[in-house]
Amino acid sequence: LWTKRDLFFGKTQDFTFSPNDSATDIAKHVFDNWPAGWEEETVSSPSILRLIFQGRFLHGNVTLGALKLPPGRTTVMHLVARETLPEPNSHGQRNREKTTESNCCLLL
């Protein structure tokens, strides 16, 4: 499992996810489990929550396993509220898969 630390408006929160969880799954989980300290930053829908990893937006169907994160380590990602995303990159990132487990950290 990945532990994800979310940073949103400079606030952090740890979440744990599996390699099969997609960016859409993670956004929905964070929305459904919105941290108590983030009341001022509440959003209206999980569909506008976007993950950023290493400076790139993760499109909805990209799984954590596709990112080839190192197993057993916490990874930091950013979570932002944004209606639309730029087009996915052409490196095939959306089709990569990984079966080992890791820790992942989301930043909101």
Side-chain angles (χ1 to χ4, degrees):
L1 296 178
W2 279 298
T3 301
K4 238 176 182 9
R5 179 168 295 138
D6 292 323
L7 176 63
F8 195 75
F9 294 103
K11 299 176 181 178
T12 62
Q13 179 69 39
D14 290 343
F15 295 95
T16 301
F17 300 99
S18 75
N20 295 324
D21 287 327
S22 69
T24 299
D25 297 334
I26 294 165
K28 180 164 179 12
H29 177 82
V30 172
F31 180 81
D32 291 343
N33 298 280
W34 199 255
W38 296 359
E39 295 90 357
E40 292 181 19
E41 294 83 17
T42 301
V43 295
S44 60
S45 167
S47 66
I48 65 168
L49 292 174
R50 309 294 184 190
L51 293 174
I52 302 172
F53 178 65
Q54 295 184 339
R56 295 184 180 182
F57 283 98
L58 302 181
H59 287 257
N61 62 345
V62 173
T63 64
L64 295 179
L67 301 176
K68 299 190 178 199
L69 302 173
R73 299 185 74 189
T74 297
T75 301
V76 175
M77 292 189 184
H78 296 266
L79 187 67
V80 297
R82 182 172 174 166
E83 292 288 335
T84 60
L85 287 178
E87 290 299 314
N89 66 32
S90 61
H91 302 301
Q93 180 178 9
R94 294 167 51 177
N95 296 323
R96 293 185 206 154
E97 291 191 22
K98 184 174 178 180
T99 58
T100 58
E101 294 181 348
S102 290
N103 287 328
C104 184
C105 174
L106 286 178
L107 295 179
L108 287 178

